[in-house]
Amino acid sequence: SSRTGSIKVNGQEVIGMPTYQVAQLGIGYCPEERCIFTSLTCEQNLMLPPKVGDGMAMEVAEIYQMFPNLYERRSSPGGKLSGGEQKMLSIARILRTGANILLLDEITEGLAPVIVQKLSEVVRTLKERGFTIILVEQNFRFASKLADRNYVIEHGQVVKIVERSELGANEEKLRVLLGV
């Protein structure tokens, strides 16, 4: 199937651009599967990421303030962290790069409610700090509380766009569309 369209980052077309150059524009990607080095400690994982763009990379101390769990587990191998801690570490590593556009793919998948709550606080904090965040999320309750704009996608097509202010009025329609 042929794909058409355009993806621009700060006015620059990125379709066809090599991945490493896209990353240099300050984009950080947190995939659904956790991408951490399991044999390295939590802190070693945080020391690895390269700097991208002209973004301000977060200091490790700042990361630990945002993610107290990671501070407590800083000497533990990545593979010994819980699923939720590994997800936090994946996000924290992106923040170390200085990326200011975050693509977060299913970050709540399979996590305990208390961890989901913590991730919600983190996303809210990052929004307040001026990060641009694109959440791909099946957990609508989680996403709708955070998003300025919600896109419902079916078979690769946007079937509905709902602004935060319109959520209430569209609740029933969204329930049907999302099957929740």
Side-chain angles (χ1 to χ4, degrees):
S1 69
S2 67
R3 293 177 179 185
T4 59
S6 170
I7 300 173
K8 290 184 178 171
V9 176
N10 297 324
Q12 194 169 349
E13 178 61 63
V14 297
I15 289 181
M17 191 184 272
T19 308
Y20 74 92
Q21 284 183 344
V22 176
Q24 290 297 329
L25 298 174
I27 298 178
Y29 173 49
C30 183
E32 194 174 342
E33 56 287 347
R34 301 165 196 120
C35 291
I36 58 166
F37 293 99
T38 52
S39 58
L40 298 181
T41 67
C42 180
E43 190 151 294
Q44 286 169 331
N45 266 280
L46 289 175
M47 301 314 283
L48 281 173
K51 305 285 181 272
V52 298
D54 49 10
M56 293 298 293
M58 263 190 212
E59 296 301 325
V60 172
E62 248 185 308
I63 296 279
Y64 286 151
Q65 275 183 318
M66 195 176 279
F67 298 100
N69 308 46
L70 297 185
Y71 177 71
E72 287 163 25
R73 304 298 307 274
R74 63 192 180 280
S75 305
S76 304
K80 293 272 189 274
L81 303 180
S82 72
E85 288 163 343
Q86 288 184 4
K87 188 56 78 174
M88 289 179 194
L89 182 54
S90 298
I91 296 170
R93 282 196 3 187
I94 296 169
L95 300 177
R96 289 280 297 136
T97 67
N100 58 5
I101 300 172
L102 310 180
L103 309 178
L104 307 180
D105 189 2
E106 297 286 0
I107 58 169
T108 68
E109 183 71 29
L111 299 182
V114 62
I115 301 287
V116 172
Q117 180 57 43
K118 175 63 185 167
L119 290 174
S120 179
E121 287 165 28
V122 167
V123 170
R124 193 165 276 121
T125 300
L126 294 173
K127 261 183 72 175
E128 285 163 8
R129 290 191 183 194
F131 285 79
T132 297
I133 301 168
I134 298 172
L135 277 178
V136 174
E137 189 56 70
Q138 288 190 34
N139 183 341
F140 180 67
R141 184 172 286 167
F142 170 81
S144 63
K145 283 183 187 147
L146 296 166
D148 297 319
R149 196 170 298 115
N150 299 273
Y151 293 83
V152 180
I153 299 175
E154 241 175 40
H155 309 298
Q157 298 291 319
V158 175
V159 293
K160 188 139 188 69
I161 302 172
V162 183
E163 300 287 333
R164 163 178 262 157
S165 60
E166 303 168 338
L167 271 177
N170 284 273
E171 198 171 338
E172 201 45 53
K173 238 179 251 167
L174 286 169
R175 227 181 272 276
V176 172
L177 268 177
L178 300 169
V180 290

